[in-house]
Amino acid sequence: MSTLTQAQSRQAEYGSPDKLKVAIGSAVGTTIENYDFLAYGTAAALYFGSAFFPGQDPLAATLLAFATLAVGFAMRPLGGLIGGYLGDKYGRKPVLVGALLVMGGATFLIGVLPTYQQVGVLAPILLVAIRIIQGLAFGAEWGGAIMMTFEHAPWRQRGRYTGIPQAGVPLGLLLANLVFLATTGWNNEWSWRVPFLASSILIIAGIIIRLKVSESPEFEETKAKGELVKNPLLTVIRDDWRNILRVIGLRLAESGGFYVIVTYLLSYITSNKIADRQTGLTGLVLAAALGVVTTILWGRFTDNVGRRKVYIAGSAGIILFGVPLFLLVNTGVPFLIVLVYIIGLPILHDMLAGAQGAWFSELFHANTRTSGASIGYQFSAAISGFIPLIAAATAAAWGWGGVSIVYMGCGAIGLVAALATRETWSRRERGAVDQLIASGK
């Protein structure tokens, strides 16, 4: 037996020695990304209008503050293009470290920005500039983090391991809610500064972990074989554009549904006086806490049954839950409202998020994997950033029924995309990996 086959067999069975360290280090980035989204959204709604746009009337100031949130989303596809290209051309690790440094630095800088009262019009200009940098870094972050985790993991447990960085979505959500709950009563500018400054703890931990891990074994193998392509970005767009479109559709079900539950629903509950804010926040915090575990469990489940089946079930679940979601909330019963958050997030959303890391990675070749998955993922993120706005607009026209249609529409897009996407971890693929492992013993 060749040394290469033995090495492949060992990698397939055990993964690399750094596999868990890589997964945890990758999770730091996705945690910060989602922590920042909620922290920035909350700060924009409550504080940034008066802090950075005080010359406007209150409504216009709030809209301008939210516009800076949208700027970050708009830059993510460009960040995905840059990060994907660099990851496939020069390695996953440099992107993993560089993206976190830039992302962390930008998030920290928001916490120390001077306000309009201190430096005038320079304040909102700096805020927009930082959001642009942050959006680029966020766009580059996910692809490097997921590919490193996927390529270091044992082949039979790739769903489980890539579920760890995906668990950064609910973990970031949980931490942001807890920090803002702790600072809400301060009634000064530290109420919004502290949540951004606090992210430095995660950033420092993440950088220390990421600097200590080795480069992706699959990237090193591809490089050693001379299979790196001159321009991975153009290559994947030319050869694999169908899979990129599929990833965009698959991701829309997850991210679109997420923003309806996380961003719109709390506003709906409080503005319509269905229940107090505490009830919604309790549901959100409990669901996020459960999601840290369920995302990994769903990823592990895909290792046993395949990625496609789980995604089809989750997308169909979103379609079926669209109307009951609001019927349960409209009862005003706290238990049922909390139940909606638990069904919508740790069950339906995390079913999709847990499957994504491994499935999206397996759809592309190793020499264009970061580019292909990043483009699809981040272009979808940019589209999904408009979901809260679309939900609010449809609610104004048709009430909760309009939002229900938006939510179900996201699920329908995901279902169509899942049906149109090949299974990458069927019984045949699992059997082939088992044979490879057996051959190395």
Side-chain angles (χ1 to χ4, degrees):
M1 183 188 299
S2 70
T3 304
L4 181 59
T5 304
Q6 287 180 326
Q8 285 180 326
S9 174
R10 185 169 183 81
Q11 175 67 25
E13 184 171 10
Y14 301 109
S16 79
D18 289 341
K19 56 184 179 291
L20 187 58
K21 192 186 297 183
V22 169
I24 294 171
S26 297
V28 172
T30 52
T31 299
I32 294 172
E33 176 181 350
N34 289 278
Y35 175 96
D36 171 79
F37 169 78
L38 193 67
Y40 195 95
T42 303
L46 301 178
Y47 307 109
F48 283 177
S50 58
F52 294 98
F53 307 99
Q56 310 294 325
D57 66 75
L59 177 59
T62 301
L63 289 174
L64 286 170
F66 274 120
T68 59
L69 177 66
V71 166
F73 272 99
M75 297 308 296
R76 288 193 183 191
L78 181 56
L81 292 172
I82 296 170
Y85 176 89
L86 295 175
D88 287 329
K89 187 79 173 176
Y90 302 107
R92 324 303 195 206
K93 183 178 176 178
V95 175
L96 198 69
V97 174
L100 185 59
L101 276 170
V102 176
M103 185 169 72
T107 303
F108 181 83
L109 283 175
I110 291 176
V112 297
L113 268 183
T115 62
Y116 189 93
Q117 287 85 355
Q118 293 169 322
V119 296
V121 73
L122 181 61
I125 291 173
L126 289 173
L127 181 62
V128 171
I130 289 174
R131 285 301 290 174
I132 289 172
I133 295 169
Q134 205 173 35
L136 290 170
F138 281 156
E141 159 68 27
W142 184 88
I146 290 294
M147 295 316 126
M148 277 283 278
T149 305
F150 175 84
E151 293 170 354
H152 274 272
W155 293 6
R156 292 186 295 190
Q157 299 178 53
R158 281 172 160 171
R160 172 190 174 189
Y161 275 87
T162 55
I164 295 173
Q166 289 293 80
V169 176
L171 182 57
L173 186 64
L174 174 64
L175 292 177
N177 272 294
L178 292 177
V179 171
F180 265 101
L181 280 173
T183 63
T184 297
W186 292 5
N187 296 320
N188 56 47
E189 65 180 33
W190 290 107
S191 297
W192 63 265
R193 291 190 185 277
V194 166
F196 292 103
L197 297 175
S199 69
S200 60
I201 299 170
L202 282 173
I203 294 160
I204 293 169
I207 289 172
I208 291 172
I209 294 171
R210 290 182 177 192
L211 284 171
K212 291 182 177 180
V213 301
S214 57
E215 179 57 88
S216 154
E218 283 197 38
F219 175 81
E220 295 284 23
E221 182 182 333
T222 302
K223 184 178 179 180
K225 290 180 178 179
E227 294 177 354
L228 296 181
V229 294
K230 184 176 181 180
N231 193 321
L233 196 58
L234 292 179
T235 300
V236 77
I237 292 173
R238 182 190 66 220
D239 298 341
D240 247 341
W241 60 270
R242 292 178 182 84
N243 275 332
I244 292 173
L245 291 178
R246 290 178 182 120
V247 168
I248 292 173
L250 291 167
R251 168 97 163 111
L252 273 172
E254 174 259 318
S255 56
F258 176 81
Y259 292 139
V260 169
I261 298 283
V262 171
T263 307
Y264 176 78
L265 193 58
L266 186 60
S267 172
Y268 174 80
I269 291 169
T270 54
S271 63
N272 289 283
K273 296 182 172 53
I274 295 170
D276 58 28
R277 181 178 175 84
Q278 194 64 36
T279 300
L281 283 174
T282 299
L284 197 54
V285 168
L286 181 58
L290 290 171
V292 176
V293 177
T294 56
T295 304
I296 300 171
L297 292 178
W298 283 121
R300 184 175 182 178
F301 187 58
T302 70
D303 288 329
N304 298 325
V305 303
R307 325 298 185 198
R308 189 169 180 260
K309 291 177 183 176
V310 174
Y311 222 95
I312 288 173
S315 299
I318 289 175
I319 296 170
L320 295 174
F321 190 53
V323 173
L325 184 161
F326 285 96
L327 293 179
L328 290 170
V329 166
N330 289 340
T331 64
V333 178
F335 170 77
L336 294 180
I337 293 173
V338 171
L339 182 63
V340 163
Y341 279 100
I342 292 173
I343 294 172
L345 293 175
I347 296 178
L348 296 177
H349 169 266
D350 295 348
M351 189 183 297
L352 305 183
Q356 283 178 357
W359 200 15
F360 293 1
S361 302
E362 289 163 351
L363 289 171
F364 300 95
H365 299 294
N367 57 2
T368 58
R369 182 175 287 151
T370 312
S371 297
S374 295
I375 294 169
Y377 192 92
Q378 298 303 342
F379 268 86
S380 182
I383 297 169
S384 298
F386 292 94
I387 292 294
L389 179 62
I390 294 170
T394 55
W398 300 302
W400 67 262
V403 185
S404 178
I405 291 171
V406 172
Y407 183 75
M408 294 165 69
C410 291
I413 292 171
L415 181 59
V416 170
L419 292 171
T421 305
R422 65 183 174 87
E423 174 61 82
T424 56
W425 192 238
S426 65
R427 185 175 299 175
R428 183 181 64 184
E429 280 88 9
R430 297 196 293 273
V433 170
D434 289 340
Q435 286 183 350
L436 176 63
I437 292 172
S439 68
K441 294 182 177 178

